[in-house]
Amino acid sequence: MYVGTLSFDLLLGDVRSLKEKRSVVRPIVAELHRKFAVSVAEVGDQNLHRRAEIGVAMVSGDTGHLAEVLDRCERMVAARPEVELLSVRRRLHGDDD
């Protein structure tokens, strides 16, 4: 069994309130969950208007499949025009960890 995680640090565009922030972050979280069947949530920077941290996690029996899905998640978030992807942190955990 392997577990892969991604942590996205995002800079949001012209967002002036937490309500506007939710209207940008929620669709990203929902699309990641729907398209890739991963666990995903906003995990940090909840009180900052223009920053967001989104965490993604996935369990798989195959590291190749795990890496492929995480790559596709990263490309999807990077392609979103309303956010700037500042950094991505990726971790893979196996049975030996």
Side-chain angles (χ1 to χ4, degrees), residues 4-15:
T5 62
L6 291 173
S7 177
F8 298 109
D9 184 13
L10 304 174
L11 178 63
L12 308 180
D14 189 26
V15 173

Side-chain angles (χ1 to χ4, degrees), residues 9 12 17 24 28 36 94:
D9 184 13
L12 308 180
S17 70
V24 172
I28 295 171
F36 305 112

Side-chain angles (χ1 to χ4, degrees), residues 8-44:
F8 298 109
D9 184 13
L10 304 174
L11 178 63
L12 308 180
D14 189 26
V15 173
R16 297 189 187 115
S17 70
L18 293 176
K19 186 175 181 178
E20 287 181 16
K21 176 184 179 176
R22 277 194 310 275
S23 72
V24 172
V25 172
R26 268 190 174 161
I28 295 171
V29 168
E31 186 175 2
L32 285 165
H33 179 70
R34 186 182 72 252
K35 278 190 171 181
F36 305 112
V38 295
S39 295
V40 57
E42 183 179 3
V43 295

Side-chain angles (χ1 to χ4, degrees), residues 7-96:
S7 177
F8 298 109
D9 184 13
L10 304 174
L11 178 63
L12 308 180
D14 189 26
V15 173
R16 297 189 187 115
S17 70
L18 293 176
K19 186 175 181 178
E20 287 181 16
K21 176 184 179 176
R22 277 194 310 275
S23 72
V24 172
V25 172
R26 268 190 174 161
I28 295 171
V29 168
E31 186 175 2
L32 285 165
H33 179 70
R34 186 182 72 252
K35 278 190 171 181
F36 305 112
V38 295
S39 295
V40 57
E42 183 179 3
V43 295
D45 297 329
Q46 280 98 348
N47 295 325
L48 301 176
H49 296 153
R50 296 200 59 224
R51 294 291 292 271
E53 184 178 354
I54 296 177
V56 173
M58 181 181 168
V59 176
S60 178
D62 177 29
T63 58
H65 175 68
L66 184 62
E68 178 186 327
V69 172
L70 294 179
D71 286 344
R72 289 173 36 205
C73 290
E74 185 175 342
R75 283 194 300 272
M76 191 219 74
V77 172
R80 299 294 291 235
E82 67 274 20
V83 299
E84 181 181 342
L85 183 57
L86 298 177
S87 69
V88 180
R89 188 172 56 231
R90 178 184 297 226
R91 292 191 175 148
L92 297 176
H93 308 276
D95 288 333
D96 300 331

